[in-house]
Amino acid sequence: EAGVTQFPSHSVIEKGQTVTLRCDPISGHDNLYWYRRVMGKEIKFLLHFVKESKQDESGMPNNRFLAERTGGTYSTLKVQPAELEDSGVYFCASSQLLAGSSEQFFGPGTRLTVL
Amino acid sequence: AQSVTQLGSHVSVSEGALVLLRCNYSSSVPPYLFWYVQYPNQGLQLLLKYTTGATLVKGINGFEAEFKKSETSFHLTKPSAHMSDAAEYFCAVSRDSGGYQKVTFGIGTKLQVIP
């Protein structure tokens, strides 16, 4: 069974440009999460989808970030326009929609560098 | 609110020595506790988790952790370090929110194993 995949693995862009990150969750996982790790800091929650609906976007830094999950399958996270402080590793995770501690499976992350 | 403190961002041990990675948490409700590991260029992998029941939890690759409520701790141990254990380890806490979780991570501990 394929795990969570993310594309691209690395992205280097200039300040002011737009970047779109993609996450493909494990098939059948209704929960999809985005996290970000800024260098030297904790991995922080950005937002959570249940199927195509945003359930919790309390961690989104500002309105330059837009996440979508059309059709409840893959998700995209767009940063427009990118700023220097957006650099970091963006992780996606997915899990089954179950009561209790449903394990989150993480992708390898996308390393974003904004110059 | 919940938070995680990992003591020591870098830990070095000799091959064959005891591994002890410290984690303390705070949570307003009974927590779920996790240890994740990230090997170079890979995603986060679940090592072990505590939800309810037995407080000593065994995970993969010979790791285990003990939930101590009185000390609000969930330290990770392994009796004998192997070179392949060199990685970054993350302690995390979450609570069930009806089928999904928002995971709060610690800052991570990089484990170096010295031959």
Side-chain angles (χ1 to χ4, degrees):
Chain A
E1 179 183 350
V4 177
T5 58
Q6 293 187 244
F7 182 82
S9 57
H10 294 81
S11 180
V12 181
I13 62 173
E14 293 191 351
K15 176 182 173 181
Q17 290 186 320
T18 297
V19 63
T20 300
L21 313 181
R22 173 171 169 143
C23 168
D24 286 79
I26 292 172
S27 178
H29 282 192
D30 289 332
N31 288 320
L32 187 148
Y33 308 81
W34 283 98
Y35 295 86
R36 177 175 75 173
R37 188 185 193 196
V38 173
M39 190 168 62
K41 300 284 184 76
E42 300 91 339
I43 300 169
K44 290 199 171 179
F45 169 86
L46 295 179
L47 87 158
H48 165 233
F49 286 96
V50 176
K51 298 183 181 178
E52 68 276 5
S53 300
K54 290 177 189 174
Q55 199 71 24
D56 181 350
E57 51 184 330
S58 61
M60 294 287 263
N62 49 61
N63 60 10
R64 295 184 293 102
F65 288 75
L66 175 64
E68 295 181 322
R69 192 183 182 193
T70 306
T73 54
Y74 71 91
S75 174
T76 58
L77 180 64
K78 181 191 289 188
V79 185
Q80 179 182 31
E83 298 289 344
L84 299 179
E85 63 265 25
D86 301 332
S87 295
V89 181
Y90 290 76
F91 291 101
C92 176
S94 71
S95 71
Q96 292 180 297
L97 189 61
L98 295 172
S101 60
S102 179
E103 178 183 345
Q104 293 188 22
F105 293 85
F106 283 79
T110 292
R111 182 174 296 277
L112 174 65
T113 302
V114 182
L115 302 175
Chain B
Q2 50 194 26
S3 66
V4 176
T5 301
Q6 289 184 243
L7 297 177
S9 58
H10 290 80
V11 171
S12 293
V13 300
S14 297
E15 189 175 16
L18 171 72
V19 176
L20 171 60
L21 304 183
R22 299 180 186 274
C23 173
N24 289 87
Y25 70 92
S26 69
S27 177
S28 56
V29 297
Y32 297 142
L33 295 162
F34 307 84
W35 276 98
Y36 286 88
V37 60
Q38 186 180 24
Y39 299 103
N41 300 316
Q42 296 185 29
L44 295 168
Q45 180 182 3
L46 182 66
L47 265 182
L48 49 80
K49 67 179 180 183
Y50 169 80
T51 54
T52 59
T55 57
L56 182 62
V57 181
K58 295 186 184 297
I60 61 173
N61 301 336
F63 285 93
E64 62 182 37
E66 186 171 10
F67 169 57
K68 291 188 176 180
K69 185 178 178 180
S70 62
E71 298 177 7
T72 60
S73 69
F74 192 57
H75 302 330
L76 181 72
T77 60
K78 181 174 180 177
S80 177
H82 191 273
M83 295 299 294
S84 60
D85 295 327
E88 191 161 19
Y89 293 80
F90 297 89
C91 183
V93 62
S94 77
R95 60 186 176 92
D96 181 26
S97 300
Y100 67 95
Q101 305 158 22
K102 184 162 69 176
V103 180
T104 300
F105 288 89
I107 200 165
T109 298
K110 285 188 177 177
L111 176 66
Q112 180 186 23
V113 182
I114 302 167

